[in-house]
């Protein structure tokens, strides 16, 4: 298919090599996006609207040097085939999303197959080790059969787990080698 600006789009399932780093840079030094499937966000409202409008092949990019603070406890669902990303690589810290609310839940929930969360600083509101703290996760999935890639992120302040996968598992398909995740690859 083609995007709204007639740029060719190729969307399908494929295994990503952790060394791959897709970066698009405009030669005109303008903030041009390579296709209509890319959306820059700078605020919690823009992130919410981008997630609501996203579809298979969409890339939601947190704008460089942006820290988004989310004050409510609502979990943001990432639809299948959607990537949420920033530019965290090597010594570049990338942009961040902070869930400031301490109520139980998750910042993001994987809501379909082939979701990717990459290059972000994802921060929860609580760094305490109290057993009484509400359970808050950074990225969660209730369906262990979804394939997802959570890579190149800095994740801290989550009282439940930075990445949480609930349901039954099969160690043969578990990338972490533990019963807490299946079909989710976490790459530091």
């Amino acid at each position: 298919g083609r995007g709204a600006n007639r740029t060719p789009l190729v969307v399908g399932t494929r295994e990503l090599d952790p060394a791959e780093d897709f970066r698009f840079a405009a030669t005109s030094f303008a903030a041009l996006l390579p296709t209509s499937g890319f959306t820059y966000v700078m605020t919690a409202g823009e992130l919410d609207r981008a997630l609501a409008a996203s579809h298979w092949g969409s890339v939601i990019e947190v704008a460089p040097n942006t820290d988004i603070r989310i004050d409510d406890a609502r979990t943001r669902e990432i639809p299948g085939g959607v990537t949420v990303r920033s530019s965290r690589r090597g010594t570049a810290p990338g942009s961040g999303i902070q869930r400031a609310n301490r109520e139980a839940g998750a910042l993001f929930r994987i809501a379909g197959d082939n979701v990717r969360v990459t290059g972000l600083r994802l921060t929860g509101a609580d760094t305490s080790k109290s057993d009484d703290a509400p359970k808050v996760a950074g990225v969660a999935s209730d369906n262990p059969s979804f394939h997802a890639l959570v890579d190149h992120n800095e994740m801290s302040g989550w009282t439940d787990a930075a990445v949480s996968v609930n349901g039954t598992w099969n160690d043969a398909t578990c990338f972490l080698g533990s019963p807490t995740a299946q079909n989710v690859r976490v790459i530091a």
Side-chain angles (χ1 to χ4, degrees), residues 66-87:
T66 300
D67 287 314
I68 297 175
R69 179 184 165 104
I70 296 178
D71 292 315
D72 62 62
R74 188 171 54 80
T75 298
R76 273 84 182 150
E77 293 201 354
I78 305 174
V82 173
T83 295
V84 179
R85 74 179 199 177
S86 180
S87 57

Side-chain angles (χ1 to χ4, degrees), residues 138-156:
V139 179
S141 176
D142 294 329
N143 187 335
S145 67
F146 288 151
H147 289 79
L149 180 59
V150 179
D151 65 329
H152 303 290
N153 296 297
E154 177 183 319
M155 304 173 83
S156 62

Side-chain angles (χ1 to χ4, degrees), residues 4 8 33 35 40 71-72 75-76 79 92 98 109 112 123 127 135 138-139 142 153 157 169 174-175 180 186:
L33 301 173
T35 72
Y40 272 124
D71 292 315
D72 62 62
T75 298
R76 273 84 182 150
Q98 177 192 18
R109 181 162 319 283
T123 309
T127 57
K135 299 296 183 196
V139 179
D142 294 329
N153 296 297
W169 62 87
C174 179
F175 291 104
T180 58
V186 180

Side-chain angles (χ1 to χ4, degrees), residues 169-179 181-183:
W169 62 87
N170 174 347
D171 282 337
T173 60
C174 179
F175 291 104
L176 297 180
S178 72
Q182 173 182 326
N183 296 333

Side-chain angles (χ1 to χ4, degrees), residues 86-143:
S86 180
S87 57
R88 184 182 189 291
R89 298 283 187 276
T91 59
S95 296
I97 301 174
Q98 177 192 18
R99 184 183 192 261
N101 193 296
R102 297 177 191 274
E103 291 180 42
L107 174 61
F108 290 120
R109 181 162 319 283
I110 296 169
D113 217 5
N114 298 305
V115 165
R116 186 175 187 194
V117 179
T118 185
L120 289 160
R121 284 180 293 108
L122 301 176
T123 309
D126 195 346
T127 57
S128 77
K129 296 184 185 206
S130 169
D131 291 336
D132 298 328
K135 299 296 183 196
V136 183
V139 179
S141 176
D142 294 329
N143 187 335

